[in-house]
Amino acid sequence: MTHTKLVFDPFSREFFDGPYDIYARMREEAPVYYSEEYDFYALSRYEDVAPAYRDFETYSSARGLDLATVRKGEISSFKSIIVLDPPEHRHMRRLVSKVFTPRAINDLRDMVDAQIVRYLDRVDPTGFDMVQDFSAYFPMEIISEMLGVPMEYRTQLRLWTDVSLHREIGQIEMSEAGTDAVVEAMRFYYGLVKERRANPQDDMISKLIEAEIERDDDQPPTLTTMEIAMFASLLGGAGAETVAKLVGGAPVTFARFPEQWAKLRDDHSLIPDAVEELLRFESPNQYNVRYSMHDVELHGVTIPAGKPVFLMLGSANRDPAAFDEPDVFDIERDRGGRPSLAFGLGIHSCLGAALARMESALALGHLLDFMPEFEVDFDNCTRVSMQNVAGYESVPVRVRARQQ
Ligand code: HEM
C-alpha cells in the first residue's frame, strides 16, 4: 500500500516518460481525479471514459481539447471539426466524410506504400533512429500527398505542427512560437484552397471544395475556404503525429516483448491484430479534454459545470476491468470484448482510423522484412513532451544479422 500523495500532472516529466503507474493509482484511488494545481477533473476507468466520449451533451468539445483552451471556457473561434458540438459537428462531419469513404482510402494504398518504402529505403540498417529517420516523415508526406500540398512546403508544415504541439515541462499554454506556427500553417492552407478553387486538381482539397450536402436549414451546403483550410491543418496534427508515434514506438514495445515480433515475423496475417494491440498498449493520443456542461455526480464526487475534464483513454485501454492482463502486450489477445478507445468513441471518433490502420499495417509489414531481428538502444530513447499526443521522439535501432 503506497501512502505518497497521488499526483497526476499532464505537463510533468513523470507523465511524459510513462504514465501507467499513475493511471493504475488513479483508477484505484481516485476514479474522478481532481487536480488542485490546475483545477481540472480526470476520468481514468474504462467504464467512465467510454460513456463520456459518447456523451457530448455533458462533455462538450466546443471549447477545445487541451487544458489551455478548455479552461478559458470560450467557444472556440476555430471552427475545426474536432472542436464542434452538434448540430454544427454533424453538418461538418457529413461533408468531410464525403472524401473519407472506404473506397477513397483504399485507393490511396499504392501511394501510402510507396511513401513508406521511399523513407525506409533511405535508412541505414547498421544504426538509425526509427522516429527521426523514418516515422516522423512518411505520415506527413501521405497527408500532404492526399491533400495536394506541393513538395517544397511539406517539411515546413511538419515543423510547424511539431512546434505547435510541443510543451516544455510545466508549460500549459501554447508558446508564442507555437501560435505563430499555427497562424503560418493556416495562412498557407488558406492560400492553397484559394488556389485550388481557381485550378481544381485531383486531390482532397479540390474534392472538399466540391463536396456538397442537402440541408434542411438555411446553412450553406458546402464548405468555406476557411473551413477547408482548418480541416487540412487539423490533419497535420491529428493524422500525422499520431501515426508517427504509433510506428515510431513499435520497436520499443516489440523489443520488450520479443516473442511477439517473432510470432509476427512467422505469420504476417497477424499484422492487423498487432496494429490494434499497439494502439491499445501505447495509445498515441492519451487523452482529450472536454468541458462539463452541467454538474456530474460520479463515484461520490461532483464535477461542477464549466470545468475541464480529461478523458484518459490511455488509462482506459490499460484498465484490468476491461482487458485481461492489460499490461501484457499480446498481439493474439481476444478482441471479442471491449473495443480499445485509441480512436475515441462517439461522434468525434477518428475519421482517419481506416487510413491510420492501413499506414501502420503497411509500415509494419515492411519493417518485418527490413529488420527481422533488431535491437533498441533503450538508454537513448527519449519521449516527446506534447499535449494530447504521447510517444517517442527518438528510438535508436540497429538491425541484427539473422541467427539461423
Ligand atoms: C494512430 C493514428 C491515430 C490515432 C491514435 C487517432 C486518434 C484519434 C482520436 C482519439 C480522435 C477523437 C478525438 C476526440 O474525441 O476529441 C480522433 C479524431 C480525429 N482524427 Fe484521428 N487518429 C489517428 C490518425 C488519424 C488520421 C491518419 C487522420 C486523417 C488523415 C485522422 C483524422 C482525425 C479527424 C479529422 C478527427 C476528428 C473527427 C471529428 O471530430 O469528428 N486521424 N483521432
Side-chain angles (χ1 to χ4, degrees):
M1 175 91 188
T2 176
H3 293 288
T4 53
K5 189 170 183 243
L6 169 60
V7 178
F8 163 57
D9 178 348
F11 303 94
S12 63
R13 192 72 265 165
E14 294 72 42
F15 174 74
F16 294 129
D17 281 349
Y20 298 109
D21 292 343
I22 301 173
Y23 288 168
R25 286 191 62 190
M26 288 167 82
R27 289 191 302 264
E28 191 70 21
E29 300 168 33
V32 182
Y33 177 86
Y34 175 64
S35 166
E36 287 162 19
E37 187 177 359
Y38 301 114
D39 190 22
F40 68 72
Y41 291 79
L43 306 183
S44 49
R45 289 185 184 168
Y46 190 102
E47 62 169 9
D48 299 325
V49 176
Y53 267 101
R54 289 189 190 281
D55 184 358
F56 57 82
E57 283 170 342
T58 303
Y59 300 103
S60 161
S61 294
R63 286 154 184 88
L65 298 177
D66 64 292
L67 184 61
T69 47
V70 178
R71 72 179 180 177
K72 290 195 181 94
E74 293 162 11
I75 299 275
S76 177
S77 55
F78 278 91
K79 295 287 174 198
S80 183
I81 183 168
I82 206 158
V83 291
L84 293 180
D85 284 343
E88 284 171 294
H89 176 267
R90 199 174 312 122
H91 167 215
M92 181 77 84
R93 180 102 181 186
R94 278 177 63 202
L95 273 162
V96 297
S97 297
K98 295 212 157 218
V99 300
F100 264 86
T101 59
R103 180 195 265 176
I105 299 308
N106 209 35
D107 286 350
L108 299 172
R109 180 174 288 272
D110 289 349
M111 179 275 282
V112 168
D113 198 60
Q115 291 295 349
I116 291 169
V117 170
R118 178 172 155 226
Y119 282 97
L120 199 55
D121 274 354
R122 304 199 314 203
V123 157
D124 174 2
T126 62
F128 70 102
D129 194 309
M130 181 57 75
V131 180
Q132 298 300 327
D133 298 331
F134 178 56
S135 79
Y137 293 99
F138 74 82
M140 193 65 192
E141 281 298 316
I142 289 167
I143 302 277
S144 297
E145 193 74 26
M146 221 165 84
L147 288 169
V149 174
M151 240 8 141
E152 61 270 30
Y153 299 106
R154 296 181 183 178
T155 304
Q156 182 59 70
L157 283 168
R158 186 170 55 75
L159 297 176
W160 278 333
T161 306
D162 278 351
V163 174
S164 67
L165 288 176
H166 178 79
R167 293 294 179 276
E168 293 298 326
I169 303 302
Q171 178 199 345
I172 301 168
E173 301 291 329
M174 197 184 277
S175 63
E176 206 174 307
T179 315
D180 290 348
V182 171
V183 172
E184 288 300 329
M186 277 304 296
R187 187 174 295 158
F188 168 80
Y189 282 119
Y190 191 85
L192 186 63
V193 180
K194 271 178 52 180
E195 202 279 325
R196 288 297 191 275
R197 279 198 191 279
N199 299 301
Q201 308 275 325
D202 182 20
D203 58 33
M204 189 179 277
I205 288 192
S206 306
K207 293 196 178 92
L208 285 166
I209 292 170
E210 282 167 25
E212 198 170 339
I213 52 168
E214 277 186 29
R215 302 208 38 159
D216 45 20
D217 53 26
D218 55 1
Q219 295 298 308
T222 52
L223 292 163
T224 64
T225 299
M226 195 61 177
E227 285 170 338
I228 298 174
M230 253 173 227
F231 184 68
S233 107
L234 169 68
L235 296 191
E241 287 287 347
T242 44
V243 176
K245 300 294 174 284
L246 188 78
V247 174
V252 180
T253 304
F254 278 109
R256 284 180 54 210
F257 297 87
E259 76 293 348
Q260 300 290 311
W261 189 248
K263 220 180 258 181
L264 201 53
R265 206 172 47 211
D266 293 344
D267 183 358
H268 283 211
S269 74
L270 291 172
I271 290 176
D273 292 325
V275 170
E276 294 312 310
E277 182 66 347
L278 283 168
L279 281 159
R280 181 195 71 82
F281 195 74
E282 289 270 8
S283 306
N285 185 207
Q286 286 282 306
Y287 61 81
N288 295 111
V289 187
R290 300 290 201 250
Y291 180 85
S292 55
M293 298 298 284
H294 53 80
D295 290 5
V296 183
E297 278 286 330
L298 202 58
H299 304 300
V301 178
T302 304
I303 303 175
K307 293 289 176 194
V309 184
F310 279 62
L311 307 187
M312 310 297 304
L313 69 80
S315 167
N317 280 344
R318 294 283 195 114
D319 186 344
F323 301 97
D324 289 341
E325 297 197 78
D327 296 327
V328 172
F329 178 73
D330 176 7
I331 60 178
E332 290 177 299
R333 173 179 291 282
D334 176 9
R335 280 175 221 291
R338 311 269 181 94
S340 125
L341 301 182
F343 288 122
L345 210 60
I347 60 167
H348 287 283
S349 72
C350 183
L351 184 67
L355 175 61
R357 288 184 164 116
M358 183 210 280
E359 287 182 49
S360 310
L362 288 171
L364 270 188
H366 288 296
L367 287 173
L368 284 164
D369 295 337
F370 177 74
M371 41 188 252
E373 302 211 358
F374 66 94
E375 57 195 38
V376 168
D377 175 1
F378 285 103
D379 290 344
N380 287 306
C381 288
T382 53
R383 289 192 183 243
V384 294
S385 50
M386 285 185 171
Q387 60 167 9
N388 298 45
V389 178
Y392 288 89
E393 70 182 351
S394 186
V395 175
V397 171
R398 190 175 69 82
V399 180
R400 264 203 316 245
R402 254 200 111 172
Q403 293 167 2
Q404 297 304 320

